[in-house]
Amino acid sequence: MKRLLLLSTALLVGAGLPALTACTAGTESGPPKVAQSGASHEPVTIEFWHGFSADNELKAFDETLAGFQKKFPWITVKPTKAVQDSQILQSVRGGNPPDVALSFTTDSVAEFCKAGIFQDLNPYLKASGIDPAALFPKVIAEYTQYQGKRCVMPMLADAYGLYYNKTLMQGHQPPKTMSELADLAKKLTVKNDKGDIKVAGFVPTSQMYENAPIHTGVMVGGKWTNPDGTSAIGSDPQWKKLMTWQKDLTDWYGYDRLEKFRKSFGDEWSAENPFNTGKVAMAIDGEWRTAMLAADAPDLDYGTAPLPVADDQPQRYGAGYITGTVIGVPRGAKHPEAAWELVKYLTTDTGTLVTLSNAIRNVPSTLPALQSPDLKKDPNFQTFLDVFANPDSTTLPAHVNSVFNQQTLQEAQIKWESGRASDLDALLAEVDKKIDEKLKLTAGG
């Protein structure tokens, strides 16, 4: 489940990542060892840090780790929940990392690989006879490596779509285009006598939970970078189209009223999420919300659909943004061979991935798991499997400044939608300038 908010991941930017030297797994004492069935092993305890925290997630992981322990009785796993990337980074820099670490974001994979935060897993894959190109869908294989170094493995994937409250929709079908979304949002919005929002058809601002540009950019097919790594945001008219659409709908609500309404929401990951409680009729979210709704709002009558697309791009309807959870062996892990066994179990074992997907409702990340007859495919979850399989679905290209680039664009979006910037062309040109200057400082990655 993707849980790290974009602006919070900015802690990784400028945190001295390049100062860490790369450390390739298995090069100091020969090729890595692969566990052999029936062999004698010394008991070992490994630390496993992950970001999951919801009750259903923790229960699923406890059951999964119990299965791992049964298969590898000499390896005891000590899990730590609710860990963020900044903590993983600090542990590596401090020389006391866990043996296995899981991240909810692919945004930092390029920097993780380049700086050696996680060890290169190619030697382990070779020793285990695993071919990533044959095991993983192409988009997943791409976002778990950088410049030939695969320093993390995918462990489940995320796809984004539109959730809609069937009761509040009043018989309307989910919108397929952005103009349909705006029109329906207005029809479904309810205000009180003072003009304050009681129910929003849709909250368009980039500050709304999952409305960061990395997720909404796919609605218009926005391009992030040029082939040389420089910013394409200012020169790509699609970003201007998206931001103009957001601003027009924001102005219809009134920015101050919309912000007052947004700030009244409960925590995104709690039962008080406004979609759960009927305060928002339509919302952008990931596939994991299906499991959270089953736990927190079991009586809510809702549906899911692909994200609406630009009116002049109807052929792209069905596409969405793809990302996922990644897991690896941090630099300096005390028990790398045992750590690899856990990583391999969580990322390549079909039964494990299907069980986790059914429990926490993330998309399985291997081709065999996607095709498993044991995978639960109810209609609301099927939407995300279809988005995941859509050839027009995209992920963010690996870039050493990925987090910085996203943060810079979102800061510009906030200025624009709030009315603190009036010249959109100049604003996007400034985004390009900041991104390109940052790229020069990092020597192009």
Side-chain angles (χ1 to χ4, degrees):
M1 179 185 302
K2 179 103 171 176
R3 287 202 179 181
L4 294 183
L5 296 178
L6 172 60
L7 296 182
S8 68
T9 59
L11 293 171
L12 295 171
V13 181
L17 288 174
L20 291 168
T21 57
C23 178
T24 302
T27 58
E28 295 182 1
S29 57
K33 300 174 183 177
V34 178
Q36 300 296 321
S37 177
S40 176
H41 298 274
E42 290 292 329
V44 63
T45 298
I46 60 175
E47 289 190 74
F48 172 35
W49 289 8
H50 63 80
F52 293 97
S53 60
D55 290 343
N56 67 309
E57 298 166 349
L58 297 177
K59 182 176 183 293
F61 260 87
D62 285 344
E63 293 172 354
T64 299
L65 294 178
F68 175 79
Q69 183 104 46
K70 185 176 181 180
K71 185 174 182 180
F72 299 93
W74 65 91
I75 303 176
T76 299
V77 182
K78 180 182 176 182
T80 300
K81 66 178 181 178
V83 175
Q84 295 194 3
D85 283 6
S86 57
Q87 294 169 272
I88 298 170
L89 172 62
Q90 290 165 9
S91 73
V92 174
R93 296 183 68 195
N96 189 36
D99 297 287
V100 177
L102 178 149
S103 170
F104 279 139
T105 175
T106 61
D107 300 340
S108 300
V109 168
E111 198 65 71
F112 282 161
C113 290
K114 177 188 176 186
I117 303 301
F118 285 90
Q119 299 179 23
D120 185 2
L121 297 178
N122 281 320
Y124 287 108
L125 289 163
K126 184 177 180 180
S128 299
I130 297 172
D131 179 8
L135 185 63
F136 305 119
K138 186 174 183 292
V139 68
I140 286 183
E142 290 177 349
Y143 70 56
T144 51
Q145 64 177 330
Y146 181 68
Q147 295 184 342
K149 180 184 289 188
R150 186 177 301 282
C151 67
V152 291
M153 294 277 280
M155 199 215 76
L156 303 177
D158 293 323
Y160 286 77
L162 185 75
Y163 282 73
Y164 58 94
N165 183 313
K166 290 184 177 181
T167 301
L168 296 178
M169 290 284 279
Q170 303 171 11
H172 294 285
Q173 294 300 305
K176 293 185 177 182
T177 66
M178 290 163 60
S179 63
E180 289 177 359
L181 175 57
D183 290 344
L184 188 55
K186 294 174 184 177
K187 290 178 182 177
L188 302 183
T189 294
V190 179
K191 300 180 181 181
N192 63 19
D193 294 340
K194 296 181 179 179
D196 291 330
I197 303 167
K198 294 177 62 179
V199 175
F202 179 79
V203 178
T205 59
S206 65
Q207 298 172 80
M208 176 63 178
Y209 298 145
E210 299 294 337
N211 286 15
I214 191 174
H215 303 151
T216 57
V218 72
M219 296 168 68
V220 295
K223 184 180 177 183
W224 284 86
T225 56
N226 297 308
D228 61 358
T230 56
S231 177
I233 294 169
S235 60
D236 183 357
Q238 302 306 325
W239 289 110
K240 186 174 181 179
K241 180 186 299 180
L242 174 66
M243 291 173 65
T244 298
W245 177 86
Q246 288 178 303
K247 181 73 161 59
D248 288 346
L249 187 53
T250 297
D251 287 348
W252 180 84
Y253 279 106
Y255 178 77
D256 290 341
R257 291 187 186 277
L258 199 56
E259 275 295 277
K260 179 181 178 181
F261 181 64
R262 185 182 68 83
K263 290 177 180 179
S264 72
F265 296 165
D267 182 83
E268 179 180 2
W269 310 109
S270 74
E272 297 306 309
N273 180 296
F275 185 79
N276 297 29
T277 59
K279 295 178 71 174
V280 173
M282 297 178 288
I284 295 173
D285 215 331
E287 80 294 330
W288 63 79
R289 183 62 55 188
T290 60
M292 302 189 84
L293 286 168
D296 298 332
D299 297 327
L300 183 68
D301 188 13
Y302 75 97
T304 61
L307 293 176
V309 295
D311 290 58
D312 60 352
Q313 301 173 27
Q315 74 283 358
R316 292 185 58 257
Y317 182 71
Y321 178 72
I322 306 298
T323 185
T325 302
V326 294
I327 186 172
V329 181
R331 176 192 175 194
K334 299 178 182 65
H335 308 289
E337 284 79 21
W340 165 246
E341 295 302 338
L342 178 59
V343 170
K344 182 173 65 172
Y345 183 80
L346 292 174
T347 61
T348 68
D349 185 88
T350 298
T352 297
L353 288 167
V354 169
T355 298
L356 283 172
S357 175
N358 289 341
I360 62 179
R361 298 277 72 184
N362 285 174
V363 177
S365 43
T366 67
L367 294 171
L370 283 166
Q371 297 159 4
S372 171
D374 296 324
L375 181 64
K376 296 178 182 177
K377 299 179 179 180
D378 62 86
N380 284 328
F381 190 69
Q382 184 64 49
T383 295
F384 299 97
L385 295 176
D386 293 342
V387 168
F388 187 77
N390 190 295
D392 288 327
S393 290
T394 61
T395 191
L396 190 68
H399 194 288
V400 289
N401 296 325
S402 176
V403 176
F404 177 84
N405 296 353
Q406 294 174 63
Q407 180 188 9
T408 301
L409 178 54
Q410 187 168 10
E411 288 174 345
Q413 285 190 328
I414 294 172
K415 286 183 179 179
W416 172 248
E417 63 199 20
S418 66
R420 291 188 284 117
S422 57
D423 187 332
L424 184 54
D425 289 323
L427 184 65
L428 293 178
E430 183 65 20
V431 168
D432 283 349
K433 180 181 178 182
K434 289 179 179 179
I435 289 175
D436 292 346
E437 287 177 348
K438 179 68 174 179
L439 184 64
K440 290 179 181 178
L441 292 176
T442 52

